[in-house]
Amino acid sequence: MKTKNEITSFLANTATNKKIILFDGVCNLCNGAVQFIIKHDKKDVFRFVALQSDLGKEICIYIGVDQTKIDSIILYNPGVAYYYKSLAVLEIGEDLGGIYSLASIFKIFPEKLRNYIYDYIAKNRYKWYGKKESCMIPTPELKAKFL
């Protein structure tokens, strides 16, 4: 397990000026979302880490997120803030820009309502979309996008 200083140093060296998306690496819906984000990330804003990976676990500890109590995507902007559930999705949409930034209109709805819908989908994601036996292995072209 890395120390906080080691995590800070690693992120500074590998993800400078990048936002990190922590995702469920065995979830087909989540993997599809990652592929979608990569395809539409024209400004090269994001890097990706599976929650199940050692680094994913270490980042969660570093930012103070209890992985046993969270069933969500996490958007981590190193040194600034982190977002999870519906707010993470809306922030990602804003960062993608263009038509995807219109997703921020959903911020008019109370976060509790947005997260209720998010939680319902998250609870059923394996049943509806399936689950992989192991985390996705990025292609050589995409390897730079993953930490």
Side-chain angles (χ1 to χ4, degrees):
M1 192 63 71
K2 291 182 176 74
T3 66
K4 283 194 173 214
N5 287 338
E6 289 172 322
I7 292 284
T8 302
S9 177
F10 174 79
L11 294 176
N13 290 327
T14 59
T16 303
N17 300 318
K18 303 296 179 193
K19 295 181 181 181
I20 300 168
I21 297 175
L22 294 109
F23 67 101
D24 182 346
V26 298
C27 167
N28 287 335
L29 174 62
C30 303
N31 281 296
V34 166
Q35 295 301 321
F36 178 88
I37 294 166
I38 289 170
K39 181 178 177 182
H40 295 91
D41 184 18
K42 304 299 183 205
K43 296 179 271 181
D44 193 32
V45 173
F46 301 108
R47 293 297 177 261
F48 302 89
V49 177
L51 284 164
Q52 294 88 346
S53 69
D54 289 340
L55 181 59
K57 292 173 187 171
E58 290 169 354
I59 291 173
C60 284
I61 291 168
Y62 177 75
I63 63 177
V65 171
D66 183 353
Q67 271 192 294
T68 63
K69 293 190 171 48
I70 195 155
D71 187 17
S72 175
I73 187 171
I74 301 169
L75 173 63
Y76 174 48
N77 189 353
V80 179
Y82 71 89
Y83 311 92
Y84 63 98
K85 295 189 180 191
S86 65
L87 190 53
V89 172
L90 298 177
E91 292 289 329
I92 291 167
E94 285 182 29
D95 285 327
L96 288 176
I99 196 160
Y100 307 108
S101 62
L102 295 177
S104 64
I105 193 145
F106 289 104
K107 287 182 179 178
I108 65 170
F109 295 105
E111 187 172 16
K112 191 171 186 170
L113 174 63
R114 292 192 325 257
N115 283 342
Y116 176 80
I117 296 166
Y118 182 97
D119 289 339
Y120 180 75
I121 294 168
K123 186 174 112 181
N124 291 291
R125 71 187 188 275
Y126 295 144
K127 182 170 48 170
W128 295 341
Y129 298 96
K131 184 177 178 180
K132 297 180 183 307
E133 292 297 316
S134 61
C135 292
M136 172 179 89
I137 307 292
T139 63
E141 302 85 43
L142 296 180
K143 203 156 187 72
K145 296 270 190 186
F146 292 82
L147 300 179

